[in-house]
Amino acid sequence: MDFQLTDEQGLLRDTTRDLLSRTYDPESRIKVIGSDLGWSREVWSQLADTGILGLGFDPDEAGQIEIMVVLAEAGRRLAPEPILHAALAPGALIAELGTDAQKEQLDDVAAGQRLLAFAHLEPGHRTPTATVTTQAARQGDSWTLTGRKNPVLAGDCADALVVSAALPDGGTGLFLVDAGSDNTSVTRHPYRTFDGQRGAQVDLDGASAEPLGDAVDASGAISGALVRIQSALCAEAVGAMEEALRLTTDYLKTRKQFGVTLNKFQALTQRAADMYVSLEMARSMSLYAAMSIADGNLDPLIASRAKVQIGRSGRHIAQESIQMHGGIGVTAEYPVSHYAARLTAIEHTLGTSGDHMHNLIDHLGDYDLARL
């Protein structure tokens, strides 16, 4: 099996890395995430010009491997732009289920001129599920939605929402909802997450909605979307872990104690080596999840396996990075604390490693041999 990136994928990685490295250093990122929007529209336009915001809309041109490559670079620089949540994830659902007229808006999404958000999670959701309490009601040829969605990542700035709702005859459908300020039946309560990202609670009170494609059960498509999102988050976490490890090893090479650099202390170098092992385990599971999706296998159990390892590795690397930096590691001015915050946020998005471990335990009977 070939695990090497193609020339095109390598070029995409290098282009994304160059774009984000030129844009973000710790100081500039702190300034950007402190703004009202929380990310840069200039960088968003550059991402669009590079073709990143349309990845996955046409599976024949790009798929999950390309998304993995881009999100890993976003994680490496902690880029705050909502590449996944405002473009790739909801856009892929429109590309998969939407009518020809609905798919036309994907041109504006890929061009960076239209922002989307996937409004699916609801209060009480601990693990990915297609079951929701938001209700869809039909009135003649029109539909309305009533319910609460939270958290909706990128929901604070989205122009349109892809909303999941329970259908009258059973199942879960997907709908497009205009999120413009003049839509009084859609109320957004924006907030900033502790890792510098943005989200919103979205309350729908009889909001006018347009079925995404046909008003039929879309549980399969929702489950597939959740698997793709988890894979992308795993890739982002790997990029963040890699940079956190680099910062830590560089610090050990320069910080002196008792007249020698810290990398002369065997115990610290062994701990750094253990961090590297955790990183490589996470990288292999992220690649496994992305390759499975690229092969057409959107298995929630594979996503859970990846999420468990990403959570364990991320927690280990984040904690060790801060420990080996000492007091400076928890300051807002130093980047390691921001990597730890982002890794913690990814761990708690779409279920923690503990939640996914319970999911795997529930399916132990499906296997002849299982190792924990």
Side-chain angles (χ1 to χ4, degrees):
M1 184 175 291
D2 185 8
F3 293 99
Q4 299 298 316
L5 298 178
T6 65
D7 292 342
E8 291 79 6
Q9 291 165 349
L11 179 60
L12 176 63
R13 176 199 61 199
D14 295 342
T15 301
T16 308
R17 181 177 301 180
D18 180 63
L19 189 162
L20 296 178
S21 296
R22 284 187 285 106
T23 304
Y24 288 117
D25 54 41
E27 293 78 14
S28 61
R29 179 184 177 275
I30 290 175
K31 182 178 179 180
V32 168
I33 65 175
S35 65
D36 291 338
L37 183 60
W39 48 274
S40 168
R41 289 195 181 274
E42 180 180 354
V43 175
W44 192 254
S45 296
Q46 294 174 355
L47 292 168
D49 293 341
T50 310
I52 289 173
L53 300 185
L55 291 176
F57 294 174
D58 185 349
D60 294 332
E61 294 184 0
Q64 195 67 27
I65 300 299
E66 287 75 16
I67 292 173
M68 177 194 73
V69 166
V70 167
L71 266 294
E73 296 306 318
R76 187 190 304 275
R77 301 313 307 170
L78 289 183
E81 283 69 33
I83 299 171
L84 175 63
H85 301 294
L88 303 188
L93 280 170
I94 295 175
E96 179 183 357
L97 300 177
T99 64
D100 291 340
Q102 290 169 341
K103 291 177 182 178
E104 289 180 359
Q105 66 180 289
L106 293 179
D107 292 336
D108 290 337
V109 175
Q113 299 171 359
R114 186 172 178 80
L115 302 173
L116 304 173
F118 182 29
H120 172 65
L121 297 179
E122 297 181 346
H125 277 183
R126 291 189 59 85
T127 57
T129 176
T131 304
V132 294
T133 60
T134 298
Q135 297 294 316
R138 188 165 190 168
Q139 299 175 345
D141 294 332
S142 62
W143 289 83
T144 59
L145 305 182
T146 300
R148 172 171 292 174
K149 298 292 185 177
N150 188 39
V152 182
L153 298 175
D156 60 312
C157 59
D159 300 305
L161 304 172
V162 178
V163 184
S164 58
L167 297 170
D169 297 329
T172 304
L174 286 172
F175 298 83
L176 285 175
V177 175
D178 178 20
S181 58
D182 57 340
N183 190 348
T184 57
S185 58
V186 178
T187 305
R188 293 190 280 191
H189 305 278
Y191 50 77
R192 174 178 174 173
T193 59
F194 72 93
D195 61 329
Q197 303 287 314
R198 296 293 194 275
Q201 174 180 296
V202 178
D203 292 325
L204 306 164
D205 184 13
S208 298
E210 176 186 355
L212 188 58
D214 297 323
V216 296
D217 184 22
S219 297
I222 293 171
S223 296
L226 294 173
V227 168
R228 290 193 295 268
I229 294 171
Q230 289 176 84
S231 172
L233 289 172
C234 288
E236 183 183 352
V238 168
M241 289 183 226
E242 189 169 2
E243 186 64 11
L245 176 57
R246 186 194 68 80
L247 289 169
T248 303
T249 54
D250 285 352
Y251 184 77
L252 295 179
K253 294 174 184 177
T254 57
R255 180 74 167 89
K256 287 187 175 182
Q257 191 77 7
F258 305 111
V260 296
T261 56
L262 293 179
N263 66 339
K264 302 299 182 183
F265 294 90
Q266 188 178 42
L268 294 181
T269 57
Q270 289 173 342
R271 288 167 66 181
D274 288 341
M275 291 170 65
Y276 178 75
V277 172
S278 286
L279 169 62
E280 290 306 307
M281 292 176 67
R283 193 196 312 276
S284 64
M285 286 304 298
S286 175
L287 183 58
Y288 171 46
M291 292 180 69
S292 297
I293 295 171
D295 287 340
N297 183 18
L298 281 75
D299 187 348
L301 290 181
I302 293 178
S304 287
R305 292 177 205 157
K307 201 73 164 53
V308 167
Q309 185 57 59
I310 292 296
R312 289 175 171 176
S313 294
R315 183 167 54 252
H316 175 219
I317 291 175
Q319 290 176 347
E320 286 289 76
S321 295
I322 291 176
Q323 284 286 327
M324 284 194 274
H325 274 85
I328 194 175
V330 295
T331 61
E333 293 77 16
Y334 200 74
V336 162
S337 64
H338 296 271
Y339 283 98
R342 183 61 188 142
L343 288 170
T344 302
I346 291 174
E347 155 75 352
H348 288 271
T349 303
L350 294 180
T352 66
S353 55
D355 295 328
H356 285 279
M357 179 59 76
H358 283 291
N359 183 38
L360 295 175
I361 291 172
D362 290 340
H363 289 83
L364 276 178
D366 299 341
Y367 303 95
D368 295 329
L369 176 64
R371 294 176 179 171
L372 299 180

